[in-house]
Each structure stands twice: as structure tokens, then as C-alpha cells.
Amino acid sequence: MRFSRIIGQTALKARLIGNAREGRVPHAQFFLGPRGSGNLALALAYARYLLCEAPGAADSCGECPACKQMDKLAHPDLNLSFPIFFVDKKPRTCEHLLPEWRAAVLKEPFLDAAIWRDQLDGENKQLRMGVEIAAEITRKLSLKAYSGRWKVMLVWLPELMSDDAANKLLKALEEPEPGTVFLLVGSEGDQVLPTILSRAQLVKVPALHEDDLAQALRERHPDLGPEEAQACAVRSGGDLLEASAMAEKSEEELFVLFRDWMRACYGLKVHDAAEFAEHFARMGRERQKGLMRYGLHLVRMSLLRAGGAPGLVRAVGQEEEFIHRFAAMLSVHRAEGLRNELETAHQHLERNANPKVLFMDLSYSVHRTLRA
């Protein structure tokens, strides 16, 4: 969790370091970035730089006692807050789950809500941040800084905070104790109360550049070839988690599934469509959503091909052949309809829809769209 280990984001890292060295550290910042962009890792690297006892011109020193504590996310001046499941007879605060959250972040610095939910065996429960967590944050901020310098409060996924909890934090955000820095880290700014957003400086974390992402993929998966790594980086849309899942679970298999499913939908082969719905239902929610995102990527590439921009199409082999054929039948109207169907299915999956029913219904909708 040092700046030197952050993938890409060169200009943003330089800006954060410059602000810290010049003493222009805002009391509250919102690191807003899409899934897999590294906004959490970046915020933690920034917190480490602020707490480091001998920060350099480009990074924390990595050797001082504060850096050693940050290696385990256990610095006494680093306060962590995150969404949890509300379970009967269990505290509705973060304190008892701190070891699990630290372990999850140290294992995957690009942590997202789905990985955290799986870590807690949450099944279909919803992660939440209630007034008890807001009260816990206020209590921690009332304590004196251990080092006498900065006191950092990192709030992960504030979009999952209830309105009552958010309102309880307004005063702390507007008039924090001296030396207090709020670091909010999330992916859905439109889900955060405007009163919270207005009290924090926005730090926009862009999706990763495909070249940076391809290099990071090869470091994570040494057996991955350069072309395959680049292909996964392009298809993922700058999302390291998505690209890594593609590298681990065989992108070719995902392509074959989508291609054959489209053929079954187009020909209204009900028996085949039912078998696909059964297969998709067993894949797990994250891979189901990954299939929808991959389908949207192929639709976008096909539309570019149909629109006379083949130079923008990034595909090879069987995928390129499929896009060429798919583009021949994909009018703008059909592409828009297919995009709406896949995006709607993705949203329903996020809301725990029954996957077997959803994919069977989606198969009929795709047939009607492609035959329109």
C-alpha cells in the first residue's frame, strides 16, 4: 500500500504527494473511482504517506515504525470504517470485524463489496452502515492522535451508509478536530447524500489505462501471454478485478458460452436456452454479472464494426469472426435494445434476482430484440 505499488495513476499520485508536502491537505476527500480502479489502495497509500515519520519526495519511507504498522493496517492513528451485515446478537459496529477487513484488503487491495460479502459468507444479505457505525466514528475522532500528527478516518463505501448515519456525521465532516483527515472511498457518488459530498473535496480516480492494466495482469498471472493480457485489459474497461477474473476463468470459455447462447436465442431453441439458463444459474453471481459485461463489450465492438470503424475493434481469432458476423445483423435499434436488456439483467443480478428465471426471460427478450 505504497505509492510505488499503485498501478498507473501517475498524475494523481503526484498531486496527492504535492498537496501533502506543501501542507495543503483538505480535511475531507472523497476518492471516487469505478470498480477495479484502485481507489481504496490509493487512499491507503495516501494515508500511509501522511502518517509516515520520514516521507520522501515520491513515497513513504517504508522503514519507520509508522510504515511498519501500516504494513498491517494497524497504525493507531488509522481508523477504519466499512459496511457490515446486521446480525442478531452481534454488534452493529466495525470493531469486531477489523481483523477480517484488514486481511481482505491485504490479500486484495482492489477489494470491492462482492469480495467483502463473500469473505463474511453473507450470501444474499445487504451490506449496510447504520447509526451505530456513525457513532463509532464520532467516538474515535474524539480521541487524541497517538503520534500527535495526523489522525486519519477512512470510510469505505459511504454509498452504503443510511441517511440517518450520514446526517450524524455532518458536523464531524464540517468541523473536524485539528489534524483530522477524512478519506471517503467509493464507486457510486450518486448514492451518497449531497450534504456529505458538499463537505468533501472530490478526488476522481479514473479507470486504469489498458497498458498499465496489462502489465499488472502479467505480474499477477506470470503464465499469461502479452497478447492475452492486453486483450483482457481492453475487454475489462480498466477494471483490474474483471480483467483478473477473465485471466483466471478462461476468456475463451466465456466467449463460447455467449456466442452459443446468442445462437440459441436467435433461433428460439427453447430447450437449449433452458439449458443455458441452468448453466448460468450455477456460475455464481459475480461471474453472471461478468458475462453480462462481456456481452456488452461484444455488442459495443459489433456496433463499431457495423458503423464503419473497424480500426477501433479490439478482437482476434474466433471473437473477431463472431463480431464480423454479428455486426452484419446488428442495426443501431437492435444494438440499443440488446444493450438495455443486458444492462437491466446486470442490475437485477445485483438485486439478487432468481438467476434461472432471469436468464430464461432474458433469452426470450434477446430473441425478440434480434428479430425485431
Side-chain angles (χ1 to χ4, degrees):
M1 243 64 73
R2 299 179 68 196
F3 281 123
S4 60
R5 299 294 298 166
I6 300 296
I7 302 168
Q9 315 294 9
T10 305
L12 187 51
K13 288 187 287 188
R15 193 181 89 198
L16 292 171
I17 291 170
N19 289 346
R21 292 184 66 81
E22 295 167 12
R24 295 184 289 105
V25 179
H27 72 275
Q29 299 173 72
F30 185 13
F31 287 72
L32 177 62
R35 176 181 184 265
S37 63
N39 52 350
L40 175 59
L42 190 63
L44 286 169
Y46 181 55
R48 180 179 186 135
Y49 191 84
L50 292 176
L51 296 172
C52 178
E53 297 173 12
D59 211 342
S60 52
C61 71
E63 300 295 334
C64 68
C67 283
K68 295 298 183 183
Q69 291 170 324
M70 283 298 294
D71 286 341
K72 301 177 182 178
L73 298 181
H75 194 288
D77 289 332
L78 174 67
N79 301 286
L80 303 168
S81 187
F82 43 84
I84 62 172
F85 297 127
F86 290 171
V87 181
D88 292 340
K89 299 181 180 179
K90 288 287 184 72
R92 294 191 173 188
T93 58
C94 303
E95 196 70 34
H96 68 292
L97 289 173
L98 269 175
E100 287 86 347
W101 195 82
R102 286 176 175 138
V105 175
L106 292 173
K107 181 180 179 181
E108 177 51 84
F110 282 66
L111 186 71
D112 73 342
I115 298 175
W116 177 229
R117 184 185 292 109
D118 292 342
Q119 175 90 4
L120 298 178
D121 296 324
E123 298 178 354
N124 292 328
K125 295 179 182 178
Q126 294 297 319
L127 292 165
R128 290 184 283 176
M129 301 177 76
V131 291
E132 295 86 355
I133 289 180
E136 182 183 46
I137 292 173
T138 304
R139 179 186 63 80
K140 288 181 177 180
L141 292 179
S142 66
L143 303 175
K144 186 177 180 180
Y146 177 82
S147 65
R149 299 175 68 245
W150 294 107
K151 184 167 51 177
V152 179
M153 171 55 72
L154 188 144
V155 182
W156 183 57
L157 300 184
E159 55 262 42
L160 299 181
M161 187 178 290
S162 69
D163 290 353
D164 289 340
N167 287 323
K168 197 175 182 66
L169 285 181
L170 290 180
K171 183 173 177 60
L173 274 170
E174 190 169 11
E175 300 175 2
E177 294 290 330
T180 298
V181 178
F182 268 95
L183 301 181
L184 310 177
V185 183
S187 299
E188 299 180 40
D190 58 340
Q191 300 298 316
V192 181
L193 280 183
T195 47
I196 293 288
L197 290 177
S198 66
R199 287 163 170 78
Q201 184 180 98
L202 187 61
V203 179
K204 290 187 178 180
V205 183
L208 295 173
H209 189 275
E210 60 186 53
D211 292 336
D212 295 327
L213 186 48
Q215 183 179 347
L217 273 181
R218 296 199 66 195
E219 291 177 3
R220 286 193 172 205
H221 308 278
D223 296 336
L224 203 64
E227 291 185 2
E228 190 176 359
Q230 193 72 26
C232 290
V234 171
R235 293 165 188 159
S236 69
D239 181 345
L240 178 65
L241 293 175
E242 182 72 15
S244 188
M246 290 177 179
E248 290 174 357
K249 297 176 180 177
S250 175
E251 186 69 3
E252 183 178 354
E253 177 190 351
L254 200 62
F255 161 70
V256 171
L257 274 176
F258 186 82
R259 180 198 64 190
D260 293 348
W261 177 47
M262 286 294 102
R263 289 174 176 173
C265 293
Y266 184 79
L268 198 57
K269 300 175 182 177
V270 178
H271 177 73
D272 291 348
E275 287 189 344
F276 275 114
E278 289 272 3
H279 181 79
F280 295 157
R282 295 192 297 267
M283 283 169 45
R285 183 169 57 182
E286 286 310 306
R287 200 165 183 220
Q288 292 163 2
K289 293 195 294 185
L291 178 67
M292 297 298 96
R293 290 192 292 267
Y294 178 66
L296 287 167
H297 165 77
L298 289 182
V299 170
R300 184 166 60 251
M301 292 298 103
S302 299
L303 195 57
L304 286 172
R305 182 66 183 253
L312 298 177
V313 177
R314 308 294 295 273
V316 294
Q318 295 185 59
E319 190 181 74
E320 184 180 24
E321 182 182 349
F322 172 79
I323 289 172
H324 177 72
R325 295 182 177 181
F326 204 40
M329 57 174 292
L330 204 63
S331 64
V332 173
H333 176 72
R334 287 175 177 167
E336 181 66 17
L338 197 54
R339 181 187 67 81
N340 286 333
E341 295 295 343
L342 295 176
E343 286 185 347
T344 301
H346 190 280
Q347 293 170 2
H348 288 165
L349 288 169
E350 288 184 326
R351 290 166 173 77
N352 304 318
N354 183 306
K356 189 185 298 185
V357 174
L358 184 147
F359 282 110
M360 198 64 215
D361 179 71
L362 181 59
S363 297
Y364 286 120
S365 298
V366 169
H367 169 78
R368 288 192 296 268
T369 302
L370 294 179
R371 292 287 192 174

